[in-house]
Amino acid sequence: MAGHPLAGARGVPAIELRHERIVQREPGSGTRAMLDTFLAMHRIEPRERLTVSGNEMVKHAVMSRLGVSLTSMHTLFLELKTGALVRLDVDGTPIVRTWYVAHHAGRWLPPAAASFRDYLLDEGARKVATETRLLLTAEPAPA
């Protein structure tokens, strides 16, 4: 969130998150699993955790200054561009994950679904990569 004490700092040690309230996704979420792995890897026990359902709830909780979160960057493009949220430069982030598009191999894929698949694999992937690169190379927002 804008105005956070770590906003604008570079190379923040992950252990500094131990002082934060963590806003996390619900159990079963891939983002939650990634957060749990990240915290365990850095031996971080946050002072408090707030669990919410869905990416929109995470964003709104952080914008309401209820804590910080580890969230997929593609869900934050608008908020990062407008300054509603800021990316903290924490060591070990961003965490790069591979996305997969899957469908049943033995079933016919309707034309609309095939077009959507093709868009995701081509133009959509290129757009996400471009937006992510721009946000990661931007100067951190001032505190």
Side-chain angles (χ1 to χ4, degrees), residues 69-129:
S69 189
L70 179 72
T71 305
S72 297
M73 189 172 282
H74 76 278
T75 68
L76 303 172
F77 288 159
L78 177 62
E79 293 81 5
L80 291 171
K81 283 182 177 181
T82 63
L85 290 172
V86 297
R87 184 179 70 84
L88 300 180
D89 185 22
V90 176
D91 292 344
T93 66
I95 298 168
V96 179
R97 293 178 19 175
T98 302
W99 290 15
Y100 299 92
V101 177
H103 64 89
H104 193 287
R107 293 201 177 161
W108 174 75
L109 201 57
S115 291
F116 182 61
R117 178 203 56 209
D118 295 345
Y119 170 81
L120 288 175
L121 294 173
D122 184 34
E123 188 175 342
R126 208 171 26 256
K127 283 183 179 181
V128 168

Side-chain angles (χ1 to χ4, degrees), residues 12 20 53 71 75 90 136 142:
V12 176
E20 302 292 335
S53 295
T71 305
T75 68
V90 176
L136 288 175

Side-chain angles (χ1 to χ4, degrees), residues 8-24:
R10 292 197 171 260
V12 176
I15 194 66
E16 290 301 315
L17 297 179
R18 74 187 182 283
H19 302 297
E20 302 292 335
R21 178 185 300 126
I22 301 293
V23 178
Q24 63 189 11

Side-chain angles (χ1 to χ4, degrees), residues 39-59:
L39 294 174
M41 183 174 66
H42 294 283
R43 297 189 171 134
I44 298 169
E45 186 55 46
R47 69 177 175 94
E48 188 177 348
R49 289 180 179 228
L50 172 65
T51 303
V52 298
S53 295
N55 291 323
E56 289 301 313
M57 291 295 293
V58 168
K59 292 190 291 189

